[in-house]
Amino acid sequence: MKYNLHTKIKYLFSIIFLVFCGSFLIAKDASDINAGVWRGFYVSAAPLFELKNGNFSETTCRTATKTKYTEILWKEDMNCRVGAKVEAGWWFIGLETNALFGIPKSNGKMSENWWTAAFDPNFHLADFECDTKLISDFEIDSRLKFDIPLFKFVRIRPYAGFCYNILKLKASDANGKAGSTSSKTSADSDQAHSYKVSGERVAFDRETFDFYLGLQAGVVLFDRLTILGDFNASPVFYINTIDHHYADTTASPSVSESYTLNRFHTNFPKISFGGCLEYRIWKELSAGASFYYTIINSVTGEEYTSPSGSNYKDHNGFDAETSQSYWKASVYAKYRLKIGRAITPRPHEKRARKPKVRNGKVEVRQY
């Protein structure tokens, strides 16, 4: 099933690539028959506000049995991000870049589970939950797109881009239950030891980079409202994460200070779909909004450990897995500066006709 899904995605992007290349050939003919297509240079800037909500997991699994050893689930609860959207282009070719910064604040919950291999790899040893805080979040997303107008109101935009994100979170104030290997008491049982600890528990850094291909398609209504559906997927995808676990002697078993480095690299794990709309308010001033839902399928990678944060060594016998899902919604206000001329001007761009002159006098049309 997984193979079939990847095969279908590859076929889809083969079609997108052909449309992407064919845009050079058909854009001129299409644009000549459509109103409001700009032949010239343009640049635009917009302040941007975004909300992001979702979760992602990191799991350490035993290589031989594929059973879980540890699992951490992080939740992003209404992560607020501010930034700017900048676009520049010529004719039907445009380069769009979004830069976003997260606002440090409380950011939901983190839950962590432990199992043991002492006598049963499925024995649940510990389960606790922490409050989390966003320390920093930076993302830059840039795409090269081709705007192909068809039938006066239809728009097709194939594009290619990359996205880089670095996220830092911190979990503290743990509370939960711990089992015991000596008495074979599971963390799920009523006899499990309850504990509550104040202070820092885990610091987490997550760095992602992906190259993606996509396609937007939609309509332009009344020469003011543009509505587009959007889909993209990532043929190249990287994730690097570092977990810093602080020492905790109150837990059972006790936890010593440690660092875990996970590295993931795969093809086509990420798909994103959604839509956007933009409304021209006055001349070249417009407002827009977008909504996207993103899924990163489970990815297997390499795991390394260190007691000090340097000289990492391969965690023999264990693999790392990660997955993620989230939605994000954004709004912006944009002003576009254009230098050039419209192939077929929009109503507000039409120049007034020069009055007719006969025998040195201006001819006034009578109504």
Side-chain angles (χ1 to χ4, degrees):
M1 183 69 181
K2 185 177 180 181
Y3 172 79
N4 291 336
L5 176 61
H6 285 184
T7 302
K8 291 178 181 178
I9 292 175
K10 290 177 181 178
Y11 282 139
L12 174 63
F13 275 98
S14 296
I15 296 172
I16 293 175
F17 178 74
L18 293 176
V19 175
F20 189 80
C21 296
S23 63
F24 283 102
L25 302 177
I26 68 174
K28 182 178 184 302
D29 294 335
S31 61
D32 285 341
I33 61 172
N34 286 278
V37 179
W38 190 256
R39 177 182 288 177
F41 178 78
Y42 65 89
V43 61
S44 68
L48 181 64
F49 176 78
E50 182 178 274
L51 286 177
K52 183 181 177 184
N53 195 88
N55 59 72
F56 56 89
S57 65
E58 286 212 331
T59 306
T60 299
C61 296
R62 300 174 182 86
T63 305
T65 61
K66 303 300 180 183
T67 55
K68 295 180 180 179
Y69 181 61
T70 65
E71 182 180 54
I72 301 179
L73 177 64
W74 296 88
K75 294 183 179 180
E76 286 188 273
D77 187 11
M78 292 300 176
N79 183 1
C80 300
R81 308 201 291 182
V82 295
K85 176 193 293 284
V86 179
E87 184 178 356
W90 175 80
W91 197 2
F92 63 93
I93 304 174
L95 179 63
E96 178 184 313
T97 300
N98 297 337
L100 289 161
F101 298 86
I103 300 174
K105 70 176 188 68
S106 297
N107 200 49
K109 297 289 185 178
M110 183 274 278
S111 59
E112 185 169 3
N113 287 272
W114 292 75
W115 292 264
T116 182
F119 50 85
D120 182 358
N122 295 314
F123 183 79
H124 195 186
L125 185 59
D127 175 10
F128 64 84
E129 187 177 70
C130 298
D131 295 325
T132 65
K133 182 179 180 180
L134 176 68
I135 304 302
S136 66
D137 182 14
F138 170 71
E139 179 177 296
I140 184 167
D141 188 314
S142 186
R143 61 177 60 175
L144 179 67
K145 60 184 181 180
F146 293 78
D147 193 343
I148 307 173
L150 299 172
F151 310 114
K152 294 187 178 181
F153 61 91
V154 178
R155 290 291 185 273
I156 298 176
R157 291 178 180 169
Y159 60 86
F162 72 89
C163 181
Y164 174 79
N165 176 244
I166 182 163
L167 175 72
K168 295 179 183 292
L169 299 170
K170 185 166 287 188
S172 57
D173 302 332
N175 65 85
K177 288 188 174 184
S180 172
T181 55
S182 58
S183 62
K184 296 186 179 181
T185 302
S186 169
D188 301 322
S189 67
D190 295 335
Q191 292 76 33
H193 170 66
S194 297
Y195 66 93
K196 185 173 183 180
V197 182
S198 298
E200 296 176 334
R201 180 77 183 193
V202 181
F204 177 76
D205 295 357
R206 181 182 175 97
E207 182 182 44
T208 63
F209 173 83
D210 68 292
F211 169 77
Y212 58 86
L213 297 172
L215 181 66
Q216 289 183 331
V219 295
V220 180
L221 303 177
F222 316 113
D223 193 38
R224 285 186 177 272
L225 180 62
T226 302
I227 304 174
L228 297 171
D230 195 342
F231 174 84
N232 65 66
S234 303
V236 179
F237 190 81
Y238 291 89
I239 300 180
N240 293 319
T241 67
I242 295 179
D243 295 70
H244 175 199
H245 286 259
Y246 296 94
D248 182 7
T249 59
T250 61
S252 178
S254 61
V255 178
S256 58
E257 184 174 22
S258 65
Y259 292 80
T260 303
L261 168 64
N262 294 325
R263 291 177 175 171
F264 306 92
H265 170 222
T266 189
N267 307 111
F268 292 105
K270 177 183 174 183
I271 59 173
S272 182
F273 54 90
C276 57
L277 59 88
E278 185 174 301
Y279 183 79
R280 183 171 57 82
I281 301 171
W282 177 75
K283 292 187 177 180
E284 297 308 324
L285 178 64
S286 59
S290 65
F291 180 88
Y292 287 91
Y293 186 76
T294 300
I295 300 172
I296 300 175
N297 294 317
S298 181
V299 182
T300 301
E302 301 170 343
E303 182 164 290
Y304 305 85
T305 59
S306 168
S308 61
S310 60
N311 300 321
Y312 284 91
K313 295 182 179 180
D314 187 13
H315 196 185
N316 292 322
F318 295 91
D319 293 324
E321 291 184 2
T322 187
S323 62
Q324 185 175 8
S325 64
Y326 61 87
W327 61 260
K328 57 183 182 180
S330 63
V331 293
Y332 63 88
K334 181 175 77 174
Y335 182 79
R336 188 155 91 159
L337 175 65
K338 302 198 296 188
I339 304 171
R341 64 183 179 87
I343 296 171
T344 307
R346 290 183 286 198
H348 72 279
E349 295 168 339
K350 293 181 179 179
R351 296 179 179 177
R353 294 183 179 179
K354 294 182 179 180
K356 294 182 178 180
V357 179
R358 289 187 179 181
N359 300 323
K361 295 182 179 180
V362 176
E363 182 180 285
V364 179
R365 187 172 181 179
Q366 300 294 329
Y367 293 92

